C-alpha cells in the first residue's frame, strides 16, 4: 500500500535528485565562479596544507551517514572551500613532485560535459559518437608520439592500467596454448618476462594479476645511467630458454620514474625481433617527448613496440584519470579480452558497421568518456602547442640542473627529460670521512620532509646508487624560469638550518 501511495506522488521533474535547467545553471555558475577564483589564487596558496593527519580527519568529521538530505547550495559551497583550503595543490607552479602534472582547466570543463552526457563507452551502440571520438583520440595520441597508425588501443584510468592491458595482450599473443581457458598452468611450461630494476611497480601487479606470478619477472641490471643492460638481458633470455622457460615479453621504459632515463629502445626492439618476444614500452611519463623533432632515436624507437602505455594525465595535462594503451595489431587486445555474453545484443555485422565495442578490448565494462578531455586538449593545443609545452618543461629542468650545479652547496646528479636529481651537500662535509654518506642520506631525507611540509616547493626523492637524492619533475605548465631560479636557495636555506642541528661531532 505504502509503495503505491509514494508512486502516485512521484511526478516527473520533482525527483529530489533531479534539477531543472535553471537550477543547474544557477548552481553551476556559483561553482564555476569558485573554481575560477581558485585557479587565480593557486600561486599564492601553500602547496601542501601542512595539516597533521589527525586534523585532516577532524575536518571531514566523524558524523555517521546523514539521515536526511541537505541543500545542494550549501554542500557545494562548503565542499569547495574544504577542498581548496586543505588539499595538496599539484597545480601550483612550484609543485614538482612525483610525475603528477598540473591539469588543463579545459579538461575540468570536458569532465563536466562528459558527466552531464554520461555516455557509456562500453559498447558502441550505447555511445556511438563518443566511441568514435575515443577511437580518434587513440589514433591522434599514436600520431603525436610517432607510433604507426592505424593501431589499436583504448583509454584506461592511468599508466598502471595502460601497462597491464599491454601485458595481458602479450600474455595471450605469446603463450602458445589457450591460456584464457586453461590458465597459465595449462601446460607445465612457466613463462618469464623481462624488465630492469628501474621498471615501475606496475610490472609486479601485472605479473601477479595475470597469474604468471612475480617469480616470472627476470629483473635485469641497469648501467650507471639506469638504462637496462641489453647484454645481460640477452644472456638471461638464452639461459631461460635453455632451462625450458617460455619467455614472453620485454619491457622497455621510455622515461623511468626515478631519473627520466630512457632504456636503449633500439637495441631492445632488435632483440625482441630476433627472439620473437613481445616488446612493450612503458611511456607513461616520457612518450609525449617523442613528439619533439629533436627527440633521441632511442625514444623514437617506441614506434617499434608491440604495445605502448601512455598517460595523458601526466605530460598531456589531462585531469586525472586518463591513461591509454596502444597496440600495433588491434586484434591483439580483442583476443586478450573479448567475451560475448548472451545478454548483450550484437547487431548483425552484415547489416551495419558495428563500430568498436570497447568492453571487449579491456577490463572495464561500463566506461566513462575519458577520451573527451584528451581529445579536446589535443584540439585546443594541437601538436604545436604540446610540442612547445614539453620542450619548455625540458628546458626548465635543464636550467634547474645548471643552477644546482652552480650552487656551492648542491651536488647535481642527473638530468633526463624533465627530471633533475640533486642533493644538498653542506660546506665542510668531506665525502672521504667515514659516515659522511650516511649523514648526507639522513640530511637529505629530513630536508625533503622539511621542504614538502613548508608548502613553498614540492619535490620528491630518488635513490641513486645508494644516495638519497631530491628529485624535481617538471610536468607543470604553470612553472616559470623564476620558480626554477628560486628553488636552489629556498632549499639550501632549509638545508643549512638542518645541518646546523643534525651534523654529528665527527663530521664537524
Ligand atoms: C606514472 C607511471 C606509471 C603509473 O602510472 P599511473 O598513472 O600512476 O597509474 C607507470 N610507469 C611509469 C614510467 C610512470 O611514470
Amino acid at each position: 500500500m505504502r509503495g503505491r501511495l509514494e508512486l502516485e506522488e512521484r511526478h516527473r521533474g520533482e525527483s529530489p535528485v533531479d534539477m531543472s535547467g535553471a537550477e543547474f545553471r544557477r548552481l553551476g555558475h556559483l561553482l564555476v565562479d569558485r573554481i575560477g577564483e581558485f585557479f587565480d589564487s593557486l600561486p599564492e596558496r601553500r602547496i601542501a596544507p601542512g595539516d597533521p593527519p589527525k586534523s585532516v580527519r577532524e575536518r571531514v568529521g566523524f558524523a555517521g551517514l546523514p539521515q536526511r538530505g541537505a541543500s545542494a547550495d550549501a554542500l557545494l559551497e562548503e565542499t569547495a572551500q574544504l577542498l581548496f583550503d586543505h588539499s595538496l595543490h599539484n597545480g601550483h607552479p612550484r609543485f614538482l613532485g612525483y610525475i603528477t602534472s598540473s591539469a588543463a582547466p579545459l579538461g575540468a570543463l570536458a569532465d563536466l560535459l562528459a558527466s552531464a552526457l554520461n555516455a557509456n563507452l562500453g559498447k558502441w551502440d550505447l555511445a556511438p559518437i563518443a566511441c568514435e571520438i575515443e577511437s580518434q583520440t587513440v589514433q591522434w595520441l599514436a600520431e603525436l608520439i610517432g607510433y604507426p597508425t592505424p593501431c589499436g588501443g583504448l583509454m584506461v584510468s592511468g599508466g598502471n592500467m595502460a601497462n597491464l592491458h599491454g601485458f595481458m595482450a602479450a600474455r595471450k599473443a605469446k603463450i602458445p596454448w589457450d591460456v584464457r581457458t586453461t590458465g597459465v598452468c595449462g601446460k607445465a611450461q612457466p613463462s618469464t618476462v623481462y624488465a630492469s630494476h628501474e621498471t615501475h611497480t606496475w610490472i609486479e601487479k601485472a605479473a601477479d594479476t595475470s597469474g604468471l606470478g612475480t617469480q616470472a619477472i627476470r629483473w635485469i641490471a641497469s648501467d650507471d645511467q639506469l638504462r637496462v643492460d641489453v647484454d645481460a638481458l640477452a644472456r638471461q633470455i638464452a639461459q631461460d630458454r635453455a632451462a625450458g622457460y617460455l619467455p614472453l615479453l620485454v619491457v622497455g621504459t621510455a622515461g623511468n620514474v626515478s631519473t627520466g632515463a630512457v632504456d636503449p629502445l633500439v637495441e631492445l626492439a632488435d632483440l625482441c625481433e630476433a627472439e620473437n618476444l613481445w616488446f612493450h614500452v612503458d611511456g607513461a611519463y616520457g612518450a609525449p617527448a617523442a613528439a619533439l623533432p629533436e627527440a633521441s632515436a632511442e625514444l623514437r624507437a617506441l614506434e617499434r613496440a608491440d604495445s605502448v602505455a601512455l598517460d595523458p594525465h601526466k605530460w598531456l595535462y589531462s585531469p586525472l584519470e586518463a591513461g591509454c594503451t596502444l597496440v600495433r595489431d588491434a586484434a591483439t587486445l580483442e583476443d586478450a579480452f573479448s567475451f560475448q555474453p548472451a545478454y548483450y545484443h550484437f547487431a548483425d555485422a552484415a547489416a551495419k558497421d558495428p563500430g568498436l565495442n570497447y568492453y571487449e578490448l579491456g577490463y572495464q565494462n561500463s566506461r566513462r568518456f575519458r577520451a573527451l578531455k584528451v581529445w579536446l586538449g589535443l584540439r585546443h593545443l594541437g601538436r604545436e602547442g604540446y610540442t612547445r609545452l614539453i620542450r619548455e618543461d625540458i628546458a626548465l629542468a635543464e636550467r634547474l640542473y645548471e643552477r644546482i650545479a652552480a650552487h656551492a652547496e648542491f651536488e647535481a646528479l642527473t638530468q633526463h627529460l624533465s627530471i633533475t636529481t640533486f642533493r644538498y651537500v653542506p660546506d665542510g662535509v668531506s665525502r672521504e670521512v667515514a659516515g659522511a654518506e650516511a649523514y648526507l642520506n639522513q640530511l637529505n631525507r629530513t630536508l625533503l620532509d622539511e621542504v614538502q611540509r613548508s608548502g613553498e616547493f614540492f619535490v620528491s626523492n630518488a635513490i641513486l646508487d645508494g644516495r638519497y637524492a631530491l628529485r624535481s619533475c617538471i610536468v607543470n605548465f604553470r612553472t616559470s624560469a623564476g620558480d626554477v631560479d628560486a628553488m636552489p636557495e629556498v632549499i639550501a636555506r632549509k638545508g643549512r638550518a638542518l645541518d646546523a642541528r643534525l651534523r654529528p661531532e665527527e663530521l664537524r
Side-chain angles (χ1 to χ4, degrees), residues 123-377:
K123 202 156 168 291
W124 188 87
D125 49 10
L126 285 177
I129 188 91
C131 285
E132 292 302 332
I133 288 176
E134 174 158 345
S135 165
Q136 185 169 60
T137 306
V138 166
Q139 300 306 311
W140 281 358
L141 288 172
E143 271 183 54
L144 178 71
I145 64 166
Y147 194 65
T149 54
C151 62
L154 81 167
M155 301 300 300
V156 293
S157 55
N160 260 35
M161 290 307 282
N163 282 302
L164 177 60
H165 281 73
F167 190 98
M168 293 303 286
R171 187 189 81 138
K172 173 65 181 82
K174 292 297 182 188
I175 289 185
W177 62 89
D178 180 6
V179 64
R180 296 189 66 201
T181 306
T182 59
V184 288
C185 299
K187 296 250 171 68
Q189 191 178 19
S191 305
T192 48
V193 300
Y194 302 81
S196 91
H197 289 285
E198 296 305 313
T199 307
H200 188 279
T201 178
W202 70 265
I203 184 75
E204 288 160 297
K205 292 187 180 177
D208 177 13
T209 307
S210 65
L212 264 57
T214 54
Q215 279 183 29
I217 306 172
R218 298 294 191 250
W219 296 103
I220 309 299
S222 307
D223 63 19
D224 57 359
Q225 291 295 305
L226 301 184
R227 296 150 35 99
V228 68
D229 176 343
V230 182
D231 291 334
L233 170 61
R235 280 196 302 277
Q236 183 67 51
I237 293 169
Q239 193 181 318
D240 287 337
R241 285 206 200 279
Y245 288 97
L246 175 63
L248 299 181
L249 97 154
V250 172
V251 177
T253 300
N256 73 40
V257 181
S258 294
T259 65
V262 176
D263 275 332
L265 300 187
V266 174
E267 287 174 73
L268 291 182
D270 289 344
L271 182 67
C272 288
E273 226 166 77
E275 294 283 343
N276 189 26
L277 298 177
W278 184 279
F279 180 31
H280 173 77
V281 169
D282 178 1
Y285 162 48
L292 302 182
E294 66 270 28
S296 69
E298 287 304 355
L299 185 53
R300 276 187 280 121
L302 59 76
E303 69 182 348
R304 295 176 61 192
D306 294 292
S307 53
V308 177
L310 274 168
D311 227 357
H313 68 210
K314 287 180 174 167
W315 226 344
L316 300 182
Y317 297 120
S318 295
L320 296 162
E321 303 166 344
C324 176
T325 304
L326 302 176
V327 289
R328 170 178 304 277
D329 175 359
T332 55
L333 276 179
E334 198 166 332
D335 288 349
F337 287 102
S338 174
F339 290 105
Q340 297 204 342
Y343 46 80
Y344 284 163
H345 166 73
F346 289 92
D348 179 359
K352 68 171 178 116
D353 180 355
L356 281 172
N357 289 322
Y358 278 108
Y359 92 89
E360 290 187 81
L361 305 187
Y363 281 107
Q364 269 188 287
N365 192 63
S366 296
R367 301 171 70 247
R368 78 177 263 107
F369 195 1
R370 285 198 183 94
L372 184 60
K373 58 195 166 192
V374 181
W375 188 73
L376 283 173

